[in-house]
């Protein structure tokens, strides 16, 4: 049976990713890098602080992104990948990733105040090429709204070959707090993209956490590289 990450992204698209990048997301690994962290207006900053999210990169350090270390490891069932993200000043974000068969979404479920699965995001994974253009595969990973948005000018990769896949977008479709689904009008989104470096040993990462009423909460943008053989210690 294909790994759950293959189910979420589509088997053809997953196999087209550089093997080290695929291994990290599917079975675990260790990476580090630098991210430029930005917070939104005062309301967004309050939400970010309450959520214990990374602090904004000081203006004087904009040319030296904040260091981050990320470990991922698969559990004994092989169905859940545990993530541990470490930012400066002791900021840590832990979550567990799994594929939900019912919703057909990739779920990233976060620990908050020591409470596992306090907040969970259900993502649709959309294959993209090196220019962040959607790649059409047999699985048809993008939803109809996503296809419509792409046709409006965001760009679609020519052809339908999965060989063009170099990364994926994660698009927020559902949000739960303590297992209770939130209406879209009240839910933050955490959309982002990961695109493999040319050598396949790291990737660009961009994520923006946005509230529908208050705007940007926090975003981070940068690059991470696999450490050693990529296996978590």
């Amino acid at each position: 049976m294909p790994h759950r990450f293959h189910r979420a992204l589509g088997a053809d698209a997953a196999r087209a990713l550089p093997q080290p990048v695929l291994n990290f997301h599917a079975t675990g690994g260790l990476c580090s890098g630098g991210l430029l962290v930005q917070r939104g207006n005062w309301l967004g900053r309050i939400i970010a602080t309450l959520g214990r999210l990374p602090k904004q990169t000081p203006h004087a350090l904009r040319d030296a992104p904040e260091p981050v270390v990320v470990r991922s490891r698969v559990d004994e069932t092989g169905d859940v990948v545990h993530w541990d993200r470490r930012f400066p000043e002791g900021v840590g974000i832990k979550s567990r990733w799994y594929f939900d068969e019912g919703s057909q979404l990739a779920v990233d479920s976060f620990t908050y105040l020591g409470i596992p699965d306090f907040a969970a995001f259900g993502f649709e994974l959309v294959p993209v090429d090196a220019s962040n253009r959607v790649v059409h595969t047999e699985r048809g990973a993008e939803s109809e709204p996503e296809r419509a948005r792409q046709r409006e000018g965001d760009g679609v990769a020519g052809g339908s070959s999965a060989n063009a896949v170099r990364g994926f977008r994660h698009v927020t479709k559902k949000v739960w707090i303590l297992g209770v689904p939130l209406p879209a009008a009240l839910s933050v989104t955490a959309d982002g993209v990961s695109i493999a470096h040319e050598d396949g040993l790291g990737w660009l990462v961009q994520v923006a956490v946005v509230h529908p009423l208050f705007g940007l909460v926090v975003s981070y943008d940068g690059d991470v590289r696999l450490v050693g053989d990529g296996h978590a210690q």
Side-chain angles (χ1 to χ4, degrees):
M1 174 182 288
H3 186 275
R4 296 301 179 96
F5 183 81
H6 293 68
R7 301 283 299 280
L9 184 62
D12 288 344
R15 284 193 292 265
L17 288 174
Q19 193 64 45
V21 176
L22 174 61
N23 290 345
F24 182 90
H25 288 84
T27 60
L30 174 66
C31 69
S32 67
L35 301 176
L36 176 64
V37 181
Q38 299 187 73
R39 287 187 172 189
N41 60 26
W42 67 274
L43 287 170
R45 291 195 296 271
I46 289 175
I47 296 173
T49 299
L50 292 175
R52 299 188 173 184
L53 298 174
K55 294 183 179 180
Q56 180 160 309
T57 304
H59 184 75
L61 299 178
R62 290 302 174 89
D63 293 330
E66 300 285 276
V68 61
V69 176
V70 184
R71 282 182 169 85
S72 64
R73 61 175 180 83
V74 69
D75 73 357
E76 60 276 5
T77 69
D79 291 335
V80 177
V81 179
H82 296 269
W83 286 65
D84 187 359
R85 308 160 180 86
R86 294 291 168 176
F87 294 86
E89 301 187 37
V91 176
I93 302 176
K94 293 184 177 183
S95 68
R96 64 187 190 100
W97 186 100
Y98 59 94
F99 181 66
D100 181 66
E101 294 283 359
S103 64
Q104 291 290 292
L105 296 175
V107 178
D108 209 1
S109 187
F110 291 83
T111 296
Y112 178 65
L113 298 177
I115 304 172
D117 302 324
F118 184 92
F121 294 80
F123 296 112
E124 178 183 13
L125 302 189
V126 182
V128 298
D129 68 5
S131 298
N132 193 17
R133 297 179 301 172
V134 171
V135 176
H136 295 289
T137 64
E138 289 299 322
R139 179 180 175 275
E142 69 280 4
S143 63
E144 183 55 41
E146 180 70 12
R147 286 194 294 269
R149 188 170 68 81
Q150 296 306 319
R151 288 195 294 267
E152 290 174 2
D154 194 40
V156 177
S160 59
S161 173
N163 292 333
V165 174
R166 293 296 293 177
F168 57 91
R169 300 179 191 174
H170 52 86
V171 182
T172 309
K173 296 298 181 182
K174 291 186 178 181
V175 178
W176 300 265
I177 298 295
L178 295 175
V180 178
L182 294 184
L186 299 177
S187 302
V188 296
T189 58
D191 296 355
V193 63
S194 299
I195 298 177
H197 295 161
E198 187 172 351
D199 64 4
L201 298 178
W203 55 95
L204 171 148
V205 58
Q206 297 174 336
V207 176
V209 179
V210 178
H211 191 280
L213 300 178
F214 307 136
L216 178 67
V217 175
V218 68
S219 68
Y220 51 90
D221 182 349
D223 294 271
V224 295
R225 301 282 293 174
L226 293 167
V227 176
D229 61 4
H231 295 299
Q233 304 297 314

